[in-house]
Amino acid sequence: MKIFRRVVFLLFSAVFVVGTPKIIFYVLGYSFQPGVERGIVQSGLIFLSTAPPGAEIYVNGRRYGEPTPAIVSDLAPGDYSVRLLLKDHYPWARSIPVHAGKATVLGNILLRPKKAKWKNHIAQSYERLIPISGTHDLILWDGRNKVEVYDWALKKKNALFQSPEIHWRSIQRLIVSPESSAVIAIGQHDEKIRARWSKIAGSESWIPLPPEWRHFKVDDVMWDNRDERYLFGIRDGEVKRIDLYQKTAQHFLSDVRGLAVDNRNIFYLTGSDFLSMDVTGKSPRAIWNDADNFLGKEDNVRITPVSPERAFFLTPEGKFATNDPPRLISEKGIRGSAYDKKNQAVLYWDEKSLMAAEWVSVKSPKGEPIFEIKKRTLFSGARDIQTAFWAHDGAYVVYQDQNKVFLLEPQSFGAPFVYELFEVRRGSTVFFSEESGLVFYLDKNDGYLMSLELIPKWKVMEVPFAMIHEKVKELET
Amino acid sequence: MSRFQFSRIKHDCAERRFERKLEILPGLTSWSILVGLIVLSVLQPVWAAVIIIVFEFYWLLRLLYLTLFLAISYMRLALEEKTDWMERIKSLDILASDEPLGVSLERPGLKNQISDLIFRRELKRFRQSAEPSLKSSELYHLVIVPIFSESGEVLEPGIKSFAEGSFPARQIFVVFAVEERADPSVHAVARALLEKYREKFFDFRIVKHPDGIEGEARVKGANASFAAKAAREVLMNQNIRDEQVIVSCFDADTVVSRDYFACLTYSFMISPHRQRASFQPIPVYHNNIWDVPWFARILEMGASFFQLTEASHPDRLVTFSSHSMSFKALVEIGYWPVDMVSDDSAIFWKALFHYDGDYRTVPMYITLSMDAVNAGGWWETCVSVYKQKRRWAWGVENFPIVMRGLLQSKKISLFEKLRYGGKLFEGHIAWATWPLILTVIGWLPSLFMGGEFSGSVFYYTAPRTSGVIFNLAAVSLLTTIVLSLSLLPKKKMKHSFFRRAVHALEWLTIPLVAIFFSALPALEAQTRLMFAKYMEFWVSDKRR
């Protein structure tokens, strides 16, 4: 027994002595590469995660034992041809660079199915599709007097503005607000321009318009979903607050160049200052004092608050900025933007290009952590970008160019990949829901509400706990 | 023989100052490791993570090593379950009479055959030694049971087990060592039990330990030593020599298995150096194991497993809790320390130094059962368990004295000094730090790693490596669960299968239990020693 104990002890000691440096090497990314001058090199790895998971991995023609999600480690620096194969899906192949000590993360690869999943939600013809962001509601409008709302989660449809007392001659405009279950219709009613407020599956009422708004030539109307008592209309720099309970309209602000309502606060641009106050007009607060240095003197600046301290600004000329340094994101031509709160990245586009800006934490010369905006062009070469959305956790972009919809796979190490998906009804826009992975649109021929599944319902978890797989065997691809 | 005084130096001198430094060392080391890793995690998270991963690898190997020997010891315990120790004693008696052994030493069945093989090897080793043979009829057991506040409900099962074992009770001398300051009801209980069981034993006495004897602290060792001296007088009056006596110092709640004294007698008889040996059984806490909260159950099972593992390394086994030893050795070394809480381990060290390293602990593969801590309510039991584990961890008080002894000893080899000292030191440091490193501190580097690491190889390989290590450690956990289910008493109870299944799941709480009832009490004990806040004995709550 004594000898046995000694042998076991020595064995375990040997395992520890031999194993410890190997573990340290492995953890820090060093490995022994035969054939290389120095022998021990700092390797890199590729992390691959796909939706759906389970794709076979081939690196430089060799198959790796386990499917995605997987970490392919012990790779000498260089470029690797990576190919992913999943049954009933198109192959995915790229040349991936690997750098010493670095992980090349491809954590959100979307494998496109050979048989796309289309669905016809409503077999009725519409001309316009207006999504209400932050909700499951899509406003469907035939361009005349028929307005309906479709809840894509519950798959229920309701009509709006159909009370017997309503005799629209024509609805001219529909206004929605993020996360709100209310819609405003502006149109000609009984020879007058009137505005009507409707809660989805709720009550409706006429909106009392100020006399000077008889023709309702208002630049914009907005409200906060948390306090739907007040509406704010802006016209020629003047903001009026409409009280839907008391049915009154009163002057609220002057010399306003841009206005937004969010989270029970009013955000507005006046003169050179960007300020906020609550919806009752109390607690004014300055957020940005020299905004005109970046935004110029234009009016009708579109403001999109994304947090109590951060907003985006888009001028009619297309100047795009934020109140965070370095503030100016693009000088001109920008048509729209979409913000990804989780990844702190904003997608913005002009007529022909899609671009992204991210806030990254870096160390200042003094060593303090600061945020910097990093900009990049995702794609150039479109014709007339109408709208765009981040998709699949910011790894992809769905965009509409004229009346065609595309899926863009940006690459940080190569040319982007663009896939054409479908055509839509002329004049209509699409809506992509990250929550459901569906793109909603109006069919180009009959205007039916359709959807295409882009991202499978069950997503892979993109955490670095995937199996690590060494080379198992060579297989023919 | 050495004249080393195994006791804390009381007066100020150079040696006391040196001892003071040694008292500070364990606590300082534990705190340095914990605080150092935390600071490193903040300042250099990558290096902290690498160190922690290396530590986890080391821990895994230690765990697998210990689990292997735990399994081996458990198998040995299972092997000896059916051994007829009295039969073995008879065989030794025959050999002692120089008569030929007329009976076969082989029994049918694989387990019996292995057990018999071990017996034959022990016999061979004994014959090769110069130790004279003894007859069992010449041996006596002196059983000292220190009492302070225990009830009859706790005491009687133990006395009954002494009386009803396979070894003749007429060769057992029981002494209740009662503290004079104990409540009168305790004295009354002791007298009642004496009256009830006196006739069964060779002798049964109550020895009252006076309070306030100079030089003594309020510790169990002082009480036991006083009783041992009184018992020696009785034995001498009966012309029974010290070398004929095996002394056992049992906790008041100890219930021995039926063959305990037979196994002890056999171990004593066959040990080549019986007068320089202690005899350590496997302590289990089965008296009330199903009546205590789950964390107490897990902890006591863990303590039993620890002793099982230690039993497979007799060359470094130190006595713990209820155990036995040569009475001659006890007398020669001056009885138990009268000023130390951890008398159970201190007695071994005292003997080791007295005999210049020529002292050992012989493992016995037989159990004796004690009570798990039970203070009635859940929270009260939490507090009691914590205090008990703190008292066990107070065994760190031995460290400075042992180190002094090792450094002073000229007879103990350097290898032995390093082995004893290193094991003692490492054991206490591990006790106080490992659960905290594995469960809490190990995750700190990932919290402090900035975003710049998210694109590094390290960000992916480090958690993966830790994950593999912990998954492999599950092998050990599974083994522990299986063994604990086998070791637990097969008591008839309601929903037996369900309770066992739940017990298996209780082991999953070991990370939390290890922090609150193992690491933290150990850290507190070491910190107290660091600041010279010496502990007194505290009697655990035990109730049936």
Side-chain angles (χ1 to χ4, degrees):
Chain A
M1 185 66 179
K2 199 171 178 180
I3 296 170
F4 174 73
R5 279 203 315 270
R6 287 234 168 111
V7 167
V8 172
F9 176 76
L10 287 171
L11 184 67
F12 275 77
S13 301
V15 168
F16 180 72
V17 166
V18 170
T20 297
K22 284 179 91 103
I23 284 175
I24 294 174
F25 268 31
Y26 169 76
V27 158
L28 292 175
Y30 287 89
S31 64
F32 177 74
Q33 300 284 341
V36 176
E37 249 182 52
R38 281 166 57 194
I40 293 177
V41 296
Q42 191 174 23
S43 58
L45 61 82
I46 302 174
F47 173 69
L48 295 160
S49 174
T50 59
E56 292 170 0
I57 303 172
Y58 293 83
V59 179
N60 284 357
R62 283 184 189 158
R63 184 175 166 189
Y64 278 70
E66 293 294 326
T68 57
I71 298 173
V72 182
S73 61
D74 280 342
L75 297 172
D79 289 333
Y80 290 83
S81 165
V82 174
R83 194 172 159 83
L84 304 175
L85 298 178
L86 182 66
K87 191 179 169 192
D88 297 329
H89 290 74
Y90 290 108
W92 183 96
R94 302 280 186 275
S95 177
I96 309 294
V98 170
H99 305 285
K102 300 279 183 213
T104 304
V105 179
L106 296 161
N108 284 311
I109 300 168
L110 204 52
L111 297 177
R112 292 177 308 125
K114 287 181 179 170
K115 277 192 186 157
K117 285 185 185 167
W118 306 92
K119 186 178 164 73
N120 181 346
H121 291 266
I122 301 174
Q124 287 175 33
S125 186
Y126 301 96
E127 292 298 319
R128 298 283 304 280
L129 167 71
I130 306 170
I132 304 180
S133 68
T135 72
H136 296 154
D137 297 318
L138 301 172
I139 304 300
L140 300 165
W141 186 21
D142 68 354
R144 292 186 297 281
N145 296 337
K146 185 168 109 179
V147 180
E148 290 176 327
V149 60
Y150 177 69
D151 184 322
W152 53 260
L154 297 175
K155 296 183 174 48
K156 271 179 66 174
K157 186 179 69 156
N158 286 307
L160 292 177
F161 309 116
Q162 300 300 308
S163 298
E165 70 197 72
I166 298 176
H167 313 291
W168 292 107
R169 190 166 167 190
S170 62
I171 294 176
Q172 296 169 353
R173 197 169 154 196
L174 293 170
I175 303 176
V176 299
S177 184
E179 295 181 40
S180 171
S181 57
V183 182
I184 290 178
I186 299 171
Q188 197 154 19
H189 184 273
D190 286 343
E191 308 304 321
K192 281 191 255 181
I193 296 293
R194 298 200 71 180
R196 188 156 177 92
W197 163 273
S198 176
K199 288 279 285 180
I200 292 170
S203 59
E204 287 186 15
S205 62
W206 292 109
I207 295 173
L209 294 178
E212 58 271 35
W213 285 10
R214 197 180 303 163
H215 299 287
F216 210 89
K217 284 196 171 56
V218 65
D219 299 329
D220 210 347
V221 178
M222 48 192 77
W223 63 95
D224 180 31
N225 67 302
R226 290 174 187 78
D227 191 345
E228 290 173 346
R229 174 178 174 174
Y230 298 114
L231 304 181
F232 296 87
I234 177 169
R235 181 187 168 210
D236 295 336
E238 188 198 4
V239 176
K240 283 205 190 290
R241 189 179 73 179
I242 298 169
D243 188 330
L244 288 177
Y245 292 4
Q246 295 188 352
K247 306 236 182 284
T248 56
Q250 64 185 81
H251 169 78
F252 192 71
L253 289 168
S254 303
D255 296 323
V256 171
R257 297 169 52 204
L259 183 75
V261 183
D262 182 59
N263 200 17
R264 302 181 69 85
N265 285 302
I266 306 286
F267 296 86
Y268 60 103
L269 190 63
T270 177
S272 60
D273 299 330
F274 176 55
L275 307 106
S276 75
M277 67 170 80
D278 70 24
V279 293
T280 60
K282 293 185 189 138
S283 312
R285 184 169 70 94
I287 300 173
W288 184 16
N289 287 332
D290 57 349
D292 57 345
N293 286 343
F294 296 89
L295 297 175
K297 304 285 183 194
E298 292 177 83
D299 290 336
N300 298 319
V301 176
R302 202 190 316 165
I303 302 174
T304 308
V306 294
S307 75
E309 301 301 326
R310 182 186 288 169
F312 292 101
F313 305 85
L314 183 61
T315 70
E317 276 189 4
K319 189 176 283 190
F320 186 51
T322 176
N323 56 305
D324 282 337
R327 312 210 197 272
L328 187 66
I329 298 175
S330 185
E331 190 65 52
K332 64 176 180 183
I334 301 304
R335 290 178 160 191
S337 67
Y339 183 63
D340 180 354
K341 205 170 188 177
K342 184 183 162 195
N343 296 311
Q344 294 214 57
V346 63
L347 172 69
Y348 58 104
W349 56 91
D350 59 20
E351 190 184 18
K352 296 187 185 313
S353 305
L354 286 161
M355 292 143 291
E358 292 169 297
W359 278 255
V360 292
S361 176
V362 295
K363 288 226 165 86
S364 71
K366 288 182 185 173
E368 297 150 352
I370 55 171
F371 277 100
E372 225 175 55
I373 293 180
K374 283 205 167 149
K375 296 187 281 189
R376 56 189 174 119
T377 300
L378 303 178
F379 173 67
S380 277
R383 292 185 180 177
D384 184 15
I385 298 176
Q386 302 297 308
T387 189
F389 305 87
W390 285 118
H392 199 28
D393 267 342
Y396 288 77
V397 173
V398 172
Y399 71 94
Q400 181 182 346
D401 184 3
Q402 293 180 325
N403 59 327
K404 287 185 182 170
V405 179
F406 298 86
L407 176 68
L408 169 71
E409 185 182 326
Q411 300 289 321
S412 51
F413 36 79
F417 283 75
V418 178
Y419 308 97
E420 184 176 333
L421 297 177
F422 50 81
E423 263 188 70
V424 301
R425 190 94 160 144
R426 193 165 287 279
S428 74
T429 54
V430 298
F431 170 64
F432 172 72
S433 160
E434 180 75 35
E435 186 186 334
S436 62
L438 301 173
V439 185
F440 293 92
Y441 66 99
L442 298 177
D443 181 74
K444 68 172 182 179
N445 295 320
D446 47 35
Y448 291 177
L449 178 65
M450 302 286 293
S451 73
L452 168 68
E453 185 183 87
L454 268 191
I455 299 162
K457 283 226 168 92
W458 50 283
K459 282 201 224 179
V460 68
M461 281 171 59
E462 302 101 21
V463 291
F465 292 111
M467 296 294 291
I468 299 175
H469 313 292
E470 304 303 324
K471 290 180 280 190
V472 174
K473 54 184 176 182
E474 283 192 44
L475 291 177
E476 289 182 8
T477 61
Chain B
M1 291 182 205
S2 165
R3 298 184 65 183
F4 177 75
Q5 192 76 7
F6 195 88
S7 181
R8 191 179 300 126
I9 298 172
K10 303 284 189 299
H11 57 277
D12 185 31
C13 59
E15 208 179 352
R16 173 62 193 147
R17 287 192 285 278
F18 176 65
E19 186 180 74
R20 199 53 204 113
K21 288 188 177 74
L22 292 170
E23 286 180 352
I24 291 169
L25 190 58
L28 182 65
T29 306
S30 293
W31 280 110
S32 297
I33 289 171
L34 294 173
V35 173
L37 276 175
I38 292 171
V39 169
L40 194 64
S41 297
V42 174
L43 298 178
Q44 293 285 352
V46 172
W47 286 112
V50 171
I51 289 169
I52 287 167
I53 286 173
V54 170
F55 163 74
E56 286 171 356
F57 182 52
Y58 170 71
W59 165 78
L60 173 69
L61 292 175
R62 277 287 293 266
L63 193 65
L64 294 175
Y65 178 84
L66 291 172
T67 305
L68 173 65
F69 285 100
L70 170 65
I72 291 172
S73 284
Y74 179 79
M75 284 192 294
R76 178 76 196 271
L77 187 67
L79 269 178
E80 306 293 10
E81 213 178 348
K82 296 279 190 291
T83 298
D84 187 342
W85 298 102
M86 289 306 296
E87 202 54 48
R88 294 242 174 121
I89 290 172
K90 275 188 201 157
S91 303
L92 292 179
D93 281 339
I94 290 169
L95 290 168
S97 313
D98 287 327
E99 289 168 21
L101 196 61
V103 295
S104 168
L105 292 179
E106 289 183 14
R107 298 171 287 162
L110 178 65
K111 272 166 99 172
N112 292 333
Q113 285 174 9
I114 298 173
S115 174
D116 291 340
L117 175 67
I118 295 171
F119 172 45
R120 284 198 296 277
R121 288 172 71 173
E122 287 177 341
L123 198 58
K124 184 180 171 186
R125 193 184 59 198
F126 175 71
R127 279 171 163 167
Q128 287 170 350
S129 73
E131 196 74 23
S133 297
L134 266 179
K135 285 201 162 209
S136 63
S137 56
E138 295 169 1
L139 291 173
Y140 293 86
H141 288 279
L142 169 61
V143 181
I144 298 175
V145 184
I147 298 170
F148 177 63
S149 62
E150 292 80 5
S151 66
E153 217 177 22
V154 171
L155 292 171
E156 186 166 0
I159 303 301
K160 198 170 175 211
S161 69
F162 304 161
E164 294 176 359
S166 56
F167 190 82
R170 301 300 290 177
Q171 285 172 252
I172 299 177
F173 176 9
V174 179
V175 174
F176 271 162
V178 185
E179 294 282 4
E180 191 183 58
R181 66 180 188 275
D183 193 82
S185 61
V186 175
H187 290 273
V189 162
R191 279 195 299 275
L193 287 172
L194 187 148
E195 288 308 315
K196 187 173 176 183
Y197 289 94
R198 186 206 295 264
E199 296 306 316
K200 295 191 188 286
F201 296 109
F202 168 77
D203 202 341
F204 194 163
R205 303 261 174 143
I206 294 174
V207 175
K208 279 190 200 168
H209 176 229
D211 203 17
I213 296 177
E214 196 183 329
E216 286 187 359
R218 283 187 167 186
V219 293
K220 194 181 86 174
N223 187 8
S225 293
F226 189 85
K229 289 173 192 167
R232 186 167 183 248
E233 283 185 27
V234 172
L235 290 166
M236 281 167 65
N237 289 340
Q238 304 267 346
N239 295 318
I240 296 170
R241 302 184 309 281
D242 295 340
E243 50 265 38
Q244 290 174 257
V245 181
I246 308 164
V247 60
S248 300
C249 184
F250 288 161
D251 287 353
D253 56 342
T254 301
V255 175
V256 300
S257 51
R258 194 176 174 278
D259 291 316
Y260 179 80
F261 287 109
C263 178
L264 174 59
T265 306
Y266 163 79
S267 301
F268 186 79
M269 288 172 75
I270 207 163
S271 179
H273 306 280
R274 61 174 79 97
Q275 304 297 349
R276 300 257 176 117
S278 291
F279 300 89
Q280 178 67 53
I282 308 296
V284 294
Y285 300 85
H286 290 175
N287 293 351
N288 60 345
I289 194 78
W290 290 112
D291 303 327
V292 297
W294 50 271
F295 54 88
R297 190 160 39 247
I298 298 295
L299 282 165
E300 308 303 13
M301 292 300 302
S304 300
F305 284 163
F306 177 74
Q307 282 303 126
L308 258 175
T309 311
E310 291 290 284
S312 61
H313 293 74
D315 47 348
R316 56 182 204 198
L317 183 59
V318 176
T319 49
F320 168 76
S321 188
S322 298
H323 65 275
S324 308
M325 64 186 291
S326 154
F327 188 58
K328 180 170 186 277
L330 181 69
V331 171
E332 283 179 354
I333 67 177
Y335 304 94
W336 289 279
V338 296
D339 57 354
M340 293 181 74
V341 170
S342 53
D343 58 277
D344 53 346
S345 51
I347 190 65
F348 168 81
W349 296 112
K350 195 174 179 185
L352 184 80
F353 289 120
H354 183 84
Y355 294 115
D356 290 318
D358 184 20
Y359 194 82
R360 67 208 46 78
T361 305
V362 175
M364 292 198 299
Y365 288 93
I366 195 158
T367 60
L368 49 71
S369 181
M370 288 170 280
D371 282 25
V373 173
N374 185 2
W378 193 88
W379 175 249
E380 290 82 0
T381 303
C382 275
V383 173
S384 279
V385 166
Y386 180 92
K387 285 183 176 176
Q388 186 201 47
K389 300 315 171 199
R390 188 182 59 186
R391 177 165 54 78
W392 287 9
W394 186 247
V396 72
E397 67 172 338
N398 287 312
F399 174 75
I401 307 170
V402 168
M403 291 309 295
R404 255 194 325 111
L406 289 174
L407 288 167
Q408 283 183 17
S409 171
K410 293 185 179 18
K411 297 273 179 68
I412 299 176
S413 70
L414 178 64
F415 176 74
E416 291 294 318
K417 287 179 184 179
L418 287 171
R419 198 176 60 168
Y420 279 123
K423 184 181 180 255
L424 188 63
F425 184 70
E426 194 251 6
H428 282 289
I429 302 305
W431 193 343
T433 59
W434 285 17
L436 289 164
I437 295 173
L438 289 166
T439 313
V440 180
I441 297 176
W443 302 104
L444 285 181
S446 60
L447 292 178
F448 290 104
M449 268 188 223
E452 65 267 27
F453 289 105
S454 63
S456 67
V457 166
F458 182 81
Y459 182 82
Y460 290 86
T461 54
R464 184 63 219 153
T465 308
S466 287
V468 169
I469 289 173
F470 282 110
N471 283 342
L472 288 173
V475 168
S476 173
L477 180 65
L478 203 61
T479 308
T480 307
I481 292 172
V482 169
L483 291 180
S484 81
L485 288 171
S486 302
L487 195 60
L488 279 167
K490 313 285 186 284
K491 183 173 138 176
K492 275 204 169 107
M493 58 186 164
K494 213 171 168 186
H495 309 306
S496 171
F497 176 77
F498 174 74
R499 287 190 76 173
R500 286 178 195 286
V502 169
H503 171 68
L505 294 174
E506 285 169 357
W507 281 97
L508 299 176
T509 63
I510 197 75
L512 278 177
V513 169
I515 289 177
F516 289 103
F517 297 109
S518 185
L520 291 181
L523 201 55
E524 186 191 337
Q526 290 176 22
T527 309
R528 281 173 174 262
L529 187 64
M530 229 166 82
F531 291 104
K533 301 282 183 210
Y534 305 113
M535 279 176 57
E536 280 201 344
F537 196 84
W538 175 82
V539 180
S540 304
D541 286 304
K542 306 243 172 110
R543 57 188 78 181
R544 307 266 176 88

PDB file of all heavy atoms in Angstrom, chain A residues 114-125:
ATOM      1  N   LYS A 114     -32.983  26.896 -47.743  1.00  0.00           N
ATOM      2  CA  LYS A 114     -33.256  26.761 -49.180  1.00  0.00           C
ATOM      3  C   LYS A 114     -34.740  26.973 -49.442  1.00  0.00           C
ATOM      4  O   LYS A 114     -35.133  27.507 -50.480  1.00  0.00           O
ATOM      5  CB  LYS A 114     -32.809  25.386 -49.671  1.00  0.00           C
ATOM      6  CG  LYS A 114     -31.298  25.269 -49.765  1.00  0.00           C
ATOM      7  CD  LYS A 114     -30.864  23.927 -50.281  1.00  0.00           C
ATOM      8  CE  LYS A 114     -29.341  23.903 -50.362  1.00  0.00           C
ATOM      9  NZ  LYS A 114     -28.808  22.554 -50.630  1.00  0.00           N
ATOM     10  N   LYS A 115     -35.534  26.545 -48.499  1.00  0.00           N
ATOM     11  CA  LYS A 115     -36.978  26.772 -48.656  1.00  0.00           C
ATOM     12  C   LYS A 115     -37.373  27.864 -47.679  1.00  0.00           C
ATOM     13  O   LYS A 115     -37.498  27.628 -46.471  1.00  0.00           O
ATOM     14  CB  LYS A 115     -37.746  25.499 -48.327  1.00  0.00           C
ATOM     15  CG  LYS A 115     -37.827  24.524 -49.460  1.00  0.00           C
ATOM     16  CD  LYS A 115     -38.842  23.434 -49.179  1.00  0.00           C
ATOM     17  CE  LYS A 115     -38.750  22.404 -50.295  1.00  0.00           C
ATOM     18  NZ  LYS A 115     -39.238  21.104 -49.898  1.00  0.00           N
ATOM     19  N   ALA A 116     -37.583  29.044 -48.228  1.00  0.00           N
ATOM     20  CA  ALA A 116     -37.916  30.178 -47.360  1.00  0.00           C
ATOM     21  C   ALA A 116     -39.309  30.002 -46.777  1.00  0.00           C
ATOM     22  O   ALA A 116     -40.186  29.398 -47.407  1.00  0.00           O
ATOM     23  CB  ALA A 116     -37.848  31.461 -48.157  1.00  0.00           C
ATOM     24  N   LYS A 117     -39.465  30.543 -45.565  1.00  0.00           N
ATOM     25  CA  LYS A 117     -40.775  30.413 -44.894  1.00  0.00           C
ATOM     26  C   LYS A 117     -41.568  31.692 -45.100  1.00  0.00           C
ATOM     27  O   LYS A 117     -41.371  32.696 -44.412  1.00  0.00           O
ATOM     28  CB  LYS A 117     -40.565  30.164 -43.403  1.00  0.00           C
ATOM     29  CG  LYS A 117     -40.110  28.747 -43.090  1.00  0.00           C
ATOM     30  CD  LYS A 117     -40.048  28.522 -41.599  1.00  0.00           C
ATOM     31  CE  LYS A 117     -39.479  27.154 -41.329  1.00  0.00           C
ATOM     32  NZ  LYS A 117     -39.111  26.963 -39.934  1.00  0.00           N
ATOM     33  N   TRP A 118     -42.470  31.644 -46.071  1.00  0.00           N
ATOM     34  CA  TRP A 118     -43.356  32.788 -46.324  1.00  0.00           C
ATOM     35  C   TRP A 118     -44.682  32.556 -45.639  1.00  0.00           C
ATOM     36  O   TRP A 118     -45.108  31.427 -45.459  1.00  0.00           O
ATOM     37  CB  TRP A 118     -43.625  32.920 -47.830  1.00  0.00           C
ATOM     38  CG  TRP A 118     -42.382  32.985 -48.670  1.00  0.00           C
ATOM     39  CD1 TRP A 118     -41.754  31.930 -49.250  1.00  0.00           C
ATOM     40  CD2 TRP A 118     -41.634  34.147 -49.002  1.00  0.00           C
ATOM     41  NE1 TRP A 118     -40.645  32.361 -49.939  1.00  0.00           N
ATOM     42  CE2 TRP A 118     -40.547  33.714 -49.809  1.00  0.00           C
ATOM     43  CE3 TRP A 118     -41.762  35.509 -48.736  1.00  0.00           C
ATOM     44  CZ2 TRP A 118     -39.607  34.610 -50.324  1.00  0.00           C
ATOM     45  CZ3 TRP A 118     -40.824  36.384 -49.256  1.00  0.00           C
ATOM     46  CH2 TRP A 118     -39.756  35.926 -50.037  1.00  0.00           C
ATOM     47  N   LYS A 119     -45.341  33.642 -45.313  1.00  0.00           N
ATOM     48  CA  LYS A 119     -46.676  33.500 -44.715  1.00  0.00           C
ATOM     49  C   LYS A 119     -47.546  34.658 -45.176  1.00  0.00           C
ATOM     50  O   LYS A 119     -47.127  35.824 -45.196  1.00  0.00           O
ATOM     51  CB  LYS A 119     -46.556  33.511 -43.194  1.00  0.00           C
ATOM     52  CG  LYS A 119     -47.866  33.228 -42.478  1.00  0.00           C
ATOM     53  CD  LYS A 119     -47.624  33.211 -40.972  1.00  0.00           C
ATOM     54  CE  LYS A 119     -48.910  33.316 -40.203  1.00  0.00           C
ATOM     55  NZ  LYS A 119     -49.726  32.113 -40.237  1.00  0.00           N
ATOM     56  N   ASN A 120     -48.745  34.316 -45.534  1.00  0.00           N
ATOM     57  CA  ASN A 120     -49.727  35.330 -45.900  1.00  0.00           C
ATOM     58  C   ASN A 120     -50.574  35.588 -44.658  1.00  0.00           C
ATOM     59  O   ASN A 120     -51.318  34.730 -44.211  1.00  0.00           O
ATOM     60  CB  ASN A 120     -50.603  34.813 -47.050  1.00  0.00           C
ATOM     61  CG  ASN A 120     -51.633  35.841 -47.500  1.00  0.00           C
ATOM     62  OD1 ASN A 120     -51.893  36.836 -46.816  1.00  0.00           O
ATOM     63  ND2 ASN A 120     -52.223  35.612 -48.649  1.00  0.00           N
ATOM     64  N   HIS A 121     -50.472  36.771 -44.107  1.00  0.00           N
ATOM     65  CA  HIS A 121     -51.199  37.069 -42.873  1.00  0.00           C
ATOM     66  C   HIS A 121     -52.621  37.554 -43.154  1.00  0.00           C
ATOM     67  O   HIS A 121     -53.547  37.190 -42.449  1.00  0.00           O
ATOM     68  CB  HIS A 121     -50.441  38.120 -42.056  1.00  0.00           C
ATOM     69  CG  HIS A 121     -49.154  37.614 -41.491  1.00  0.00           C
ATOM     70  ND1 HIS A 121     -49.049  37.097 -40.222  1.00  0.00           N
ATOM     71  CD2 HIS A 121     -47.913  37.515 -42.037  1.00  0.00           C
ATOM     72  CE1 HIS A 121     -47.797  36.710 -39.994  1.00  0.00           C
ATOM     73  NE2 HIS A 121     -47.079  36.951 -41.086  1.00  0.00           N
ATOM     74  N   ILE A 122     -52.735  38.442 -44.134  1.00  0.00           N
ATOM     75  CA  ILE A 122     -54.068  38.985 -44.445  1.00  0.00           C
ATOM     76  C   ILE A 122     -54.209  39.047 -45.966  1.00  0.00           C
ATOM     77  O   ILE A 122     -53.408  39.725 -46.632  1.00  0.00           O
ATOM     78  CB  ILE A 122     -54.262  40.398 -43.863  1.00  0.00           C
ATOM     79  CG1 ILE A 122     -54.076  40.369 -42.337  1.00  0.00           C
ATOM     80  CG2 ILE A 122     -55.641  40.941 -44.218  1.00  0.00           C
ATOM     81  CD1 ILE A 122     -54.106  41.745 -41.697  1.00  0.00           C
ATOM     82  N   ALA A 123     -55.216  38.354 -46.455  1.00  0.00           N
ATOM     83  CA  ALA A 123     -55.416  38.323 -47.917  1.00  0.00           C
ATOM     84  C   ALA A 123     -56.340  39.463 -48.323  1.00  0.00           C
ATOM     85  O   ALA A 123     -57.443  39.252 -48.845  1.00  0.00           O
ATOM     86  CB  ALA A 123     -55.989  36.980 -48.322  1.00  0.00           C
ATOM     87  N   GLN A 124     -55.908  40.671 -48.025  1.00  0.00           N
ATOM     88  CA  GLN A 124     -56.646  41.873 -48.445  1.00  0.00           C
ATOM     89  C   GLN A 124     -55.619  42.875 -48.928  1.00  0.00           C
ATOM     90  O   GLN A 124     -54.479  42.873 -48.474  1.00  0.00           O
ATOM     91  CB  GLN A 124     -57.420  42.480 -47.287  1.00  0.00           C
ATOM     92  CG  GLN A 124     -58.650  41.682 -46.889  1.00  0.00           C
ATOM     93  CD  GLN A 124     -59.307  42.268 -45.668  1.00  0.00           C
ATOM     94  OE1 GLN A 124     -59.283  43.495 -45.473  1.00  0.00           O
ATOM     95  NE2 GLN A 124     -59.888  41.423 -44.858  1.00  0.00           N
ATOM     96  N   SER A 125     -56.095  43.732 -49.785  1.00  0.00           N
ATOM     97  CA  SER A 125     -55.141  44.629 -50.431  1.00  0.00           C
ATOM     98  C   SER A 125     -54.946  45.915 -49.634  1.00  0.00           C
ATOM     99  O   SER A 125     -55.920  46.537 -49.206  1.00  0.00           O
ATOM    100  CB  SER A 125     -55.644  44.974 -51.827  1.00  0.00           C
ATOM    101  OG  SER A 125     -54.681  45.732 -52.509  1.00  0.00           O
TER     102      SER A 125
END
